[in-house]
Amino acid sequence: MEFDLSWMLLGLPLAFVLGWLASRWDLRQIRAENRQAPKAYFKGLNFLLNEQQDKAIDAFIEAVQNDPDTSELHFALGNLFRRRGEYNRAVRVHEHLLSRGDLSRSDRDRAQHALAQDFLKAGLLDRAEDALRRLEGTGFEAEARLALLAIYERSRDWPQASGIARRMQTSGQGDFSARLAHYLCEDADAVLAQGQQAEALERLEQAVATAPQAARPRLALAQLQHRMGQSDQALQSLQALAEQAPAALPLAAGLLVDLSAATGQREAIHQLLNSHYQQLRSLDLLQALVTLDAREQDANAPGRTRLIQHLEHEPSLVAAAQWLTEEKLAHEEHHPAIQRALDHAAKPLTRYRCAACGFEARQHFWHCPGCQSWDSYPARRVEEL
């Protein structure tokens, strides 16, 4: 059978035409997909800039569907879900990224960090802790340690918090000696609640050695020493407090009044209070001086005259209400009602206020219950700020 060359001559052009058509079709499809993905992406970006998060999420989902290998779109989508409080969806997005085998090391670390943030925002602290620990040795290590520190403080796990703080201090992330002293004080409170005074005393002494400039360890140590009958040592602790952290002495004013009777060193304590009051006209120091003067039999003791002298320098409603307590009025029958009104008006002024978030409380806090900041409460009342 002879081979017919005419079929070959006809087939070659036909194959060429079909191949050319197929290539053109693929190019059109690729171009259409490339146009569609950026269009959806920029559409989502536009919605995001206009604070239309619902429409932005829809646009980003469309972009991800068109190009599922685009990691940046996944990150944007996960962050949007987290901001909206849809933590389950954010977790799924970031876990999907971590499951990809083609993800670079930097993007994998970034996805792990984003996943930890999802768990933190969702309040899943145990899963957040595990995710954060996986960031050791990465570029997110410093942020992860800070987040772990916040978790341990929130759960009051002071030994774990101490370990993280020491590692951060060793790596040069800052000076955490004051924070470590707070942890020791918190631990001392815990063991003291169980009646273990010796163990509490040991932790407080360690806290003083860890942060000599910190006020809380010395004040807590003096309180415990007085409680254990070691009043002379308690006074020495407060004298050291006055030297190392004089701004915190108003917090010890009441204890100093008690120590004046327990130690018999009334004159030394009176001088200590008075010298610091002259530098810092504190209501607590003033009250302590008035109390000490009232205990004296000396008619020349300033006593309540100090309140008037204080009012000459500071327009204090708290001091005025206290002075009026024992004064006789022209219409004495109205005195109780006036006194109640003044005390009611002055009561909010005797609170402490957090300098970081403004949270007010009747007692002084070393760790703000509102914003979780340490040492954010000045040792002064609201009226004095």
Side-chain angles (χ1 to χ4, degrees):
M1 180 177 178
E2 294 184 1
F3 183 72
D4 191 352
L5 292 176
S6 60
W7 287 103
M8 182 178 292
L9 294 175
L10 290 173
L12 285 174
L14 181 61
F16 175 78
V17 171
L18 291 175
W20 182 80
L21 290 174
S23 65
R24 294 296 296 173
W25 176 263
D26 289 341
L27 284 173
R28 279 200 206 98
Q29 188 174 3
I30 291 171
R31 287 172 182 169
E33 290 177 354
N34 288 339
R35 283 195 302 268
Q36 187 177 7
K39 183 178 179 181
Y41 174 78
F42 288 119
K43 186 195 302 182
L45 185 60
N46 182 56
F47 286 136
L48 188 59
L49 292 174
N50 289 314
E51 298 184 357
Q52 296 176 284
Q53 293 188 10
D54 290 333
K55 293 182 179 180
I57 286 176
D58 293 337
F60 283 135
I61 289 176
E62 179 185 349
V64 169
Q65 288 174 344
N66 291 328
D67 190 2
D69 294 330
T70 305
S71 59
E72 287 298 331
L73 290 178
H74 282 79
F75 283 121
L77 194 58
N79 290 337
L80 275 175
F81 282 143
R82 189 193 312 126
R83 288 182 61 184
R84 284 174 52 85
E86 300 180 44
Y87 304 120
N88 289 335
R89 300 178 74 179
V91 166
R92 287 201 298 270
V93 169
H94 294 131
E95 285 182 338
H96 170 71
L97 278 171
L98 287 171
S99 67
R100 284 173 47 179
D102 61 339
L103 205 63
S104 66
R105 178 60 185 270
S106 60
D107 280 346
R108 186 170 297 279
D109 295 340
R110 184 180 170 191
Q112 184 67 41
H113 181 249
L115 182 63
Q117 288 182 308
D118 297 337
F119 290 141
L120 278 174
K121 291 291 185 180
L124 303 174
L125 300 185
D126 53 343
R127 300 185 68 180
E129 179 185 356
D130 180 66
L132 289 167
R133 286 195 173 277
R134 295 174 185 270
L135 292 169
E136 284 288 330
T138 71
F140 296 95
E141 182 180 68
E143 297 176 40
R145 285 177 175 176
L146 280 173
L148 280 171
L149 196 64
I151 289 176
Y152 294 139
E153 288 180 354
R154 185 174 172 181
S155 58
R156 304 184 67 80
D157 190 343
W158 308 120
Q160 289 275 29
S162 298
I164 291 291
R166 289 192 183 93
R167 286 160 63 185
M168 294 174 71
Q169 183 158 337
T170 303
S171 63
Q173 286 185 241
D175 183 9
F176 288 86
S177 57
R179 191 79 67 93
L180 287 167
H182 278 301
Y183 298 157
L184 287 166
C185 290
E186 293 286 348
D187 203 17
D189 288 342
V191 298
L192 189 59
Q194 301 172 2
Q196 302 174 16
Q197 292 185 341
E199 289 80 357
L201 186 65
E202 181 182 352
R203 284 167 173 76
L204 291 176
E205 290 173 344
Q206 185 180 352
V208 171
T210 301
Q213 305 296 327
R216 183 184 183 182
R218 295 188 185 277
L219 179 58
L221 179 61
Q223 291 170 338
L224 180 57
Q225 287 170 333
H226 180 53
R227 180 175 173 178
M228 296 174 66
Q230 303 173 4
S231 299
D232 291 329
Q233 292 90 328
L235 179 56
Q236 292 175 9
S237 296
L238 293 184
Q239 289 171 335
L241 171 67
E243 295 178 4
Q244 298 293 335
L249 191 63
L251 298 175
L255 180 56
L256 282 167
V257 172
D258 294 338
L259 289 175
S260 68
T263 61
Q265 300 189 44
R266 186 264 177 195
E267 194 62 36
I269 291 174
H270 190 280
Q271 184 178 354
L272 177 66
L273 289 168
N274 190 54
S275 62
H276 281 77
Y277 171 75
Q278 297 303 326
Q279 300 172 17
L280 181 70
R281 296 189 179 277
S282 162
L283 287 171
D284 291 293
L285 296 178
L286 173 65
Q287 178 60 51
L289 287 168
V290 171
T291 303
L292 284 179
D293 289 337
R295 292 180 179 179
E296 290 296 309
Q297 302 298 326
D298 186 1
N300 296 322
R304 297 177 65 255
T305 307
R306 291 184 183 275
L307 295 171
I308 295 297
Q309 295 171 346
H310 182 84
L311 289 170
E312 291 174 354
H313 296 90
E314 303 290 339
S316 171
L317 182 61
V318 176
Q322 184 179 353
W323 176 83
L324 191 63
T325 303
E326 298 181 13
E327 289 300 310
K328 297 294 183 181
L329 302 182
H331 300 280
E332 187 60 24
E333 68 275 11
H334 301 312
H335 193 168
I338 295 174
Q339 189 67 54
R340 283 196 302 272
L342 285 174
D343 291 341
H344 180 74
K347 190 174 182 179
L349 302 177
T350 61
R351 295 174 181 169
Y352 295 97
R353 178 187 296 157
C354 174
C357 69
F359 186 90
E360 293 186 4
R362 295 178 61 183
Q363 70 180 80
H364 180 275
F365 285 103
W366 299 102
H367 192 204
C368 177
C371 64
Q372 306 299 306
S373 298
W374 291 97
D375 292 320
S376 59
Y377 275 83
R380 295 174 68 80
R381 309 287 179 166
V382 168
E383 188 183 56
E384 303 172 84
L385 299 177

